[in-house]
Amino acid sequence: MIIRLPKLVLMTLFSALLSTCSETEQAADPTSLAAEDSGLSTSEVALVSSNPFFSKSQLYLNYPPFDQIENAHFLPAFLRGMAEQSAEIEAIARQGEPATFVNTIIAMELSGQLLNRTDSVFSAMSSAHTNDEIRALEQQLAPQLAAHDDSIMLNRDLFARISRLYEQREALALDAQSKRLLGEYYSDFVRAGAALSVDQQQRMKELNGQIATLQTRYSQQILSEMNELAILVDSREELTGLDEALVAAAEAEADERGLQGKFLIPLLNTSGQPALASLQNRAVRETMHRTSLSRGNRGGEFDNRELLVDILRLRAERAQLLGFENHAHYILEDRTAQTVAAVNERLAELAPPAVANARREAADLQQMIYDEGADFELAAWDWDFYTEKVRAARYEFDASQLRPYFELNNVLQRGVFFAAEKLYGISFKERTDLPLYQEDVRVFEVFDAVGTTLALFIADYYARPSKRGGAWNTSYILQSNLMNTQAIMANHLNITEPIGNEATLLSFDEVNTLFHEFGHALHVMFSNVEYPYFSGTRVPRDFVEYPSQVNEMWATWPEVLANYAIHYQTGQPMPDELLDKVLSSQKFNQGFATTEYLSASILDQALHQLAPDKVPDADQLMQFESEVLETAGVAMPEIPPRYRSTYFNHIMGGYSAGYYSYIWSEVLDADSVEWFKENGGLRRQNGDHFRRTLLSRGASEDAMVLFRNFRGRDADIAPLLERRGLN
């Protein structure tokens, strides 16, 4: 018989555990802790005595009280949060009662709630709206948080309890999700070093602290240099071809930095820059491209080569300490790919057709250059510009024709939301009563088909100097039946904000990204699991992109596209002939897109498949990068990797040895798109099936089991090859 205890009973048991701690083990008073450990003044102590993190938010669904949160609140909340969880963990580990699933595993799931509240907001702000104080605090906290995690994961008494439960798991009468949770906890502790000797664990703690500090510094330097190296242009004439709204934004950016009469174009974190597609001045394009590629490897204050080399060596040593050949072997054991060989084989399989396709595209671009009477050789800074010319000639339209039909609010509400409404029966209502951390951020309440509240969705779409590059989803609160919580999540993009009351017009890539990121949000809001451990996007890294990539299909689904592709001035729909051209050009430039992505993925693997003594020195790093790409057969001077090693921010977080995940997930995505097409597309029953079998399950079952439950079989790679023109 499987016994499931109600939450009230669980919380009572957990409180009883904590009461067994001695007074010295209990978390200290927040104000005394802040004063003692952080050197705060009396006035600062008074400020944090009413710290909003010290209790659950009283706002709707425990929405973060952004209007009350100040920088001074973070450190005391982190300190108290770590102290509270340490006391909770000690109570679990040292209790006299024999280990049970409730008093050990459930108790751990319930621990650290203050720390989680604080960290979710702090992590979000450090990416989306940082400042000097937050950046300094990141550096200070990185090793402290790493040490705190180690104090839990390397707690020998705690691991002994988990091990005993794991050994008895077949006799514990646990339901499937609880049994899986026990197995995941055991695996996590082993992979963290819980089974190592005392001396080995001490070295593990040192490695984790050093890595955390260096990773934080590496990521911060990317943002700092990206802001420093914004492209300064002296005259409007040099920006000929650039959309007028973007020119105005560049002028305003220069004015804000005291450079009146000039124009400043911020860089994005990718190697390629959007402006390269339209700037007619070849010299400006070259400057922009070379500047982009120089980030982190040009010397000076923000050079990342030494940092990256140190991180790679430390990661490799840590992997070997745990019994793995290198960091990639360690990471991939816990992914759906499972082995380095499987990832290498997939990347090697895709590289030759991608490069062959890219070379055909390069020949077309070179011919266009000659046809226009020029005699220079195609360079990387010419690719996007002449791609648009070839597109215009081949399909009789260029990308700039699309922008007037892609106004941001239309795309969001009549595109992204519309598709979700049709497919899943959900609806949206904007909330203007909840506080914001930035004035142009928006909040929407999401309702399920029966009218009950499902989640809160935060839309943060505009670029700003305080925001890191790229696009991502953030979860503030995860759904959990155990915790009785509903999801609050945010999508972040980096769209250039227009000046004044000008409309925000998107590129087609930005439209696609809007749909992609909302796919992550759907994965979070549809979660219906017992334990927060399994909630939402807490799935293997090479599976997490799959649902979001599936959601991209609706961006070009005729019914959806026709609903949102409305001219922002005339209100007229996109003409059918232009719509047809958009759809017919989907495979265009896929050689470039696939090659730049594969180059970055191959580079990521190469960096992390090194033993500690094989990592190149800092002054050899860029040469190593070149040799890797050459050996893999993807070295094309016209197509640099999407990210070079010195500004590859993905590999500082969850994508170390994992950037391959996008193409790995796309195999599942492309095959799933075929399923939707075979079953009638944008139909409610299709959405319900996808939600029930996969989106709602989080990580509560094996990822590939979930895929098979949805698709009815294993994935077929053929749809991916067809999509990218690689067949």
Side-chain angles (χ1 to χ4, degrees):
M1 179 179 179
I2 296 173
I3 300 173
R4 185 182 297 277
L5 295 176
K7 185 188 175 193
L8 180 60
V9 175
L10 293 173
M11 295 299 288
T12 302
L13 288 170
F14 192 43
S15 298
L17 278 177
L18 291 179
S19 70
T20 64
C21 295
S22 67
E23 290 184 7
T24 57
E25 291 171 329
Q26 294 289 337
D29 176 77
T31 52
S32 64
L33 185 65
E36 177 184 349
D37 290 354
S38 66
L40 295 175
S41 67
T42 304
S43 61
E44 289 170 325
V45 169
L47 174 66
V48 300
S49 64
S50 57
N51 194 309
F53 291 115
F54 287 165
S55 60
K56 285 185 179 180
S57 169
Q58 298 304 300
L59 296 176
Y60 190 56
L61 301 188
N62 305 130
Y63 179 90
F66 291 115
D67 56 336
Q68 299 176 30
I69 296 170
E70 300 179 20
N71 289 338
H73 293 139
F74 286 119
L75 181 58
F78 269 114
L79 293 173
R80 178 171 174 174
M82 286 187 282
E84 280 189 3
Q85 189 174 33
S86 293
E88 291 164 354
I89 294 299
E90 278 302 301
I92 296 167
R94 295 172 56 183
Q95 62 186 298
E97 295 296 317
T100 68
F101 183 77
V102 171
N103 71 19
T104 302
I105 304 301
I106 293 293
M108 291 181 65
E109 280 287 272
L110 294 170
S111 73
Q113 293 185 38
L114 168 57
L115 182 58
N116 291 337
R117 281 197 302 273
T118 307
D119 188 54
S120 67
V121 175
F122 182 78
S123 297
M125 294 303 98
S126 67
S127 296
H129 200 38
T130 192
N131 53 52
D132 289 344
E133 291 177 79
I134 289 177
R135 288 159 64 88
L137 194 52
E138 273 189 294
Q139 289 277 10
Q140 178 182 342
L141 284 169
Q144 292 177 259
L145 289 169
H148 174 70
D149 288 344
D150 285 340
S151 73
I152 298 172
M153 304 304 289
L154 302 181
N155 185 312
R156 304 180 79 81
D157 292 335
L158 182 60
F159 181 56
R161 295 181 69 85
I162 295 171
S163 295
R164 283 194 292 273
L165 287 172
Y166 184 71
E167 291 165 1
Q168 302 164 7
R169 63 191 181 280
E170 299 300 335
L172 294 180
L174 299 174
D175 61 66
Q177 194 175 146
S178 298
K179 185 176 179 181
R180 179 171 172 81
L181 182 66
L182 172 57
E184 291 299 309
Y185 263 98
Y186 178 78
S187 175
D188 287 349
F189 271 72
V190 171
R191 286 174 55 79
L196 297 177
S197 69
V198 173
D199 289 343
Q200 288 173 321
Q201 286 187 349
Q202 180 56 41
R203 180 55 182 159
M204 179 65 71
K205 294 175 183 178
E206 294 168 359
L207 290 170
N208 288 338
Q210 293 172 40
I211 290 170
T213 299
L214 295 174
Q215 287 178 165
T216 300
R217 187 176 162 202
Y218 174 101
S219 294
Q220 287 186 347
Q221 291 193 170
I222 291 175
L223 179 59
S224 296
E225 189 167 45
M226 194 163 63
N227 288 327
E228 181 178 277
L229 291 182
I231 306 302
L232 184 64
V233 177
D234 292 327
S235 68
R236 183 177 291 269
E237 290 70 30
E238 292 175 280
L239 298 181
T240 299
L242 195 64
D243 185 273
E244 186 56 40
L246 299 180
V247 173
E251 185 175 30
E253 184 70 26
D255 286 346
E256 190 171 321
R257 300 198 195 185
L259 300 167
Q260 284 72 21
K262 298 184 184 296
F263 302 83
L264 203 64
I265 303 176
L267 294 176
L268 298 186
N269 195 39
T270 49
S271 295
Q273 301 297 317
L276 295 175
S278 55
L279 282 171
Q280 295 182 16
N281 188 309
R282 190 168 189 248
V284 175
R285 294 203 307 268
E286 180 178 0
T287 297
M288 180 175 291
H289 180 79
R290 291 190 183 278
T291 301
S292 178
L293 263 60
S294 74
R295 284 172 291 153
N297 58 76
R298 64 190 180 97
E301 181 182 0
F302 304 123
D303 195 297
N304 263 340
R305 287 173 291 187
E306 192 70 52
L307 280 175
L308 180 58
V309 164
D310 288 344
I311 291 167
L312 293 173
R313 286 175 177 154
L314 293 170
R315 284 176 174 172
E317 181 186 345
R318 180 175 62 185
Q320 291 191 347
L321 187 60
L322 290 166
F324 295 89
E325 185 177 339
N326 52 51
H327 183 71
H329 280 86
Y330 167 70
I331 290 294
L332 295 175
E333 182 204 48
D334 200 34
R335 302 292 189 257
T336 65
Q338 296 188 328
T339 67
V340 166
V343 173
N344 288 348
E345 181 180 346
R346 174 60 50 82
L347 298 177
E349 173 187 19
L350 295 174
V355 171
N357 199 359
R359 293 196 187 283
R360 287 191 293 270
E361 293 168 358
D364 291 342
L365 302 183
Q366 186 65 63
Q367 188 60 51
M368 175 63 73
I369 292 170
Y370 291 151
D371 289 347
E372 290 191 342
D375 61 358
F376 57 82
E377 295 296 313
L378 175 73
W381 50 89
D382 300 315
W383 190 288
D384 288 352
F385 184 73
Y386 283 95
T387 289
E388 291 310 313
K389 287 180 173 286
V390 171
R391 189 201 308 271
R394 185 170 299 171
Y395 300 100
E396 298 182 332
F397 85 99
D398 62 66
S400 64
Q401 290 178 265
L402 303 178
R403 293 179 68 91
Y405 296 96
F406 295 154
E407 189 273 326
L408 173 59
N409 194 56
N410 257 355
V411 176
L412 177 63
Q413 303 219 44
R414 298 185 55 157
V416 174
F417 289 174
F418 172 78
E421 289 164 358
K422 296 284 286 187
L423 195 61
Y424 304 109
I426 60 177
S427 58
F428 303 82
K429 178 183 178 182
E430 187 158 10
R431 296 285 300 261
T432 58
D433 58 320
L434 295 171
L436 306 171
Y437 56 86
Q438 167 71 14
E439 61 184 7
D440 53 31
V441 171
R442 303 169 71 181
V443 183
F444 296 87
E445 186 171 358
V446 188
F447 299 92
D448 220 333
V450 295
T452 57
T453 298
L454 183 65
L456 289 174
F457 170 69
I458 300 171
D460 179 1
Y461 293 139
Y462 290 116
R464 50 184 173 268
S466 63
K467 191 180 193 180
R468 72 171 173 86
W472 68 98
N473 181 81
T474 293
S475 293
Y476 285 95
I477 297 179
L478 292 168
Q479 177 276 331
S480 165
N481 295 333
L482 174 67
M483 307 295 290
N484 194 29
T485 52
Q486 292 172 268
I488 300 177
M489 81 298 295
N491 279 179
H492 305 273
L493 274 69
N494 269 278
I495 299 166
T496 299
E497 187 168 12
I499 303 304
N501 295 321
E502 290 293 319
T504 302
L505 304 181
L506 307 183
S507 69
F508 187 70
D509 282 347
E510 288 169 332
V511 170
N512 203 59
T513 302
L514 213 66
F515 277 86
H516 175 98
E517 294 305 328
F518 195 71
H520 287 306
L522 290 170
H523 202 180
V524 175
M525 71 176 69
F526 284 153
S527 177
N528 184 17
V529 298
E530 183 71 12
Y531 305 114
Y533 185 102
F534 294 134
S535 189
T537 54
R538 288 185 166 184
V539 297
R541 187 65 64 171
D542 54 5
F543 191 79
V544 74
E545 296 298 336
Y546 155 54
S548 57
Q549 288 171 324
V550 169
N551 204 58
E552 293 175 29
M553 73 176 288
W554 308 117
T556 54
W557 193 258
E559 181 183 355
V560 179
L561 185 58
N563 197 61
Y564 74 80
I566 306 296
H567 197 285
Y568 79 105
Q569 290 175 318
T570 67
Q572 294 299 307
M574 181 183 289
D576 289 343
E577 59 270 22
L578 183 56
L579 183 60
D580 291 342
K581 291 170 183 176
V582 171
L583 298 176
S584 65
S585 67
Q586 289 303 292
K587 294 182 186 177
F588 182 70
N589 206 41
Q590 280 300 308
F592 172 91
T594 308
T595 300
E596 72 154 1
Y597 166 76
L598 288 175
S599 296
S601 300
I602 289 166
L603 178 59
D604 169 36
Q605 286 301 313
L607 292 169
H608 288 110
Q609 289 179 22
L610 297 170
D613 60 345
K614 299 298 183 182
V615 176
D617 292 335
D619 58 1
Q620 300 171 328
L621 183 62
M622 306 318 291
Q623 179 62 32
F624 173 82
E625 179 178 301
S626 298
E627 291 171 356
V628 165
L629 300 178
E630 190 71 40
T631 300
V634 292
M636 289 183 65
E638 307 95 332
I639 308 179
R642 184 168 177 80
Y643 301 97
R644 300 190 78 186
S645 55
T646 53
Y647 50 87
F648 206 159
N649 205 36
H650 281 72
I651 63 174
M652 287 303 110
Y655 286 90
S656 65
Y659 194 63
Y660 76 92
S661 299
Y662 290 89
I663 201 78
W664 194 270
S665 294
E666 196 177 349
V667 174
L668 309 180
D669 151 38
D671 199 23
S672 297
V673 168
E674 290 304 304
W675 181 90
F676 275 101
K677 290 178 179 178
E678 292 165 3
N679 288 276
L682 195 69
R683 299 170 66 227
R684 174 69 185 278
Q685 46 266 62
N686 290 343
D688 287 347
H689 176 66
F690 193 41
R691 176 178 177 177
R692 182 181 64 256
T693 59
L694 196 143
L695 293 179
S696 66
R697 305 306 300 148
S700 62
E701 293 183 68
D702 178 84
M704 297 314 296
V705 169
L706 293 177
F707 176 82
R708 286 190 288 273
N709 289 345
F710 162 68
R711 188 64 173 99
R713 58 164 172 77
D714 289 333
D716 182 359
I717 196 174
L720 170 68
L721 300 178
E722 170 67 22
R723 172 191 289 182
R724 288 186 172 258
L726 302 179
N727 52 358

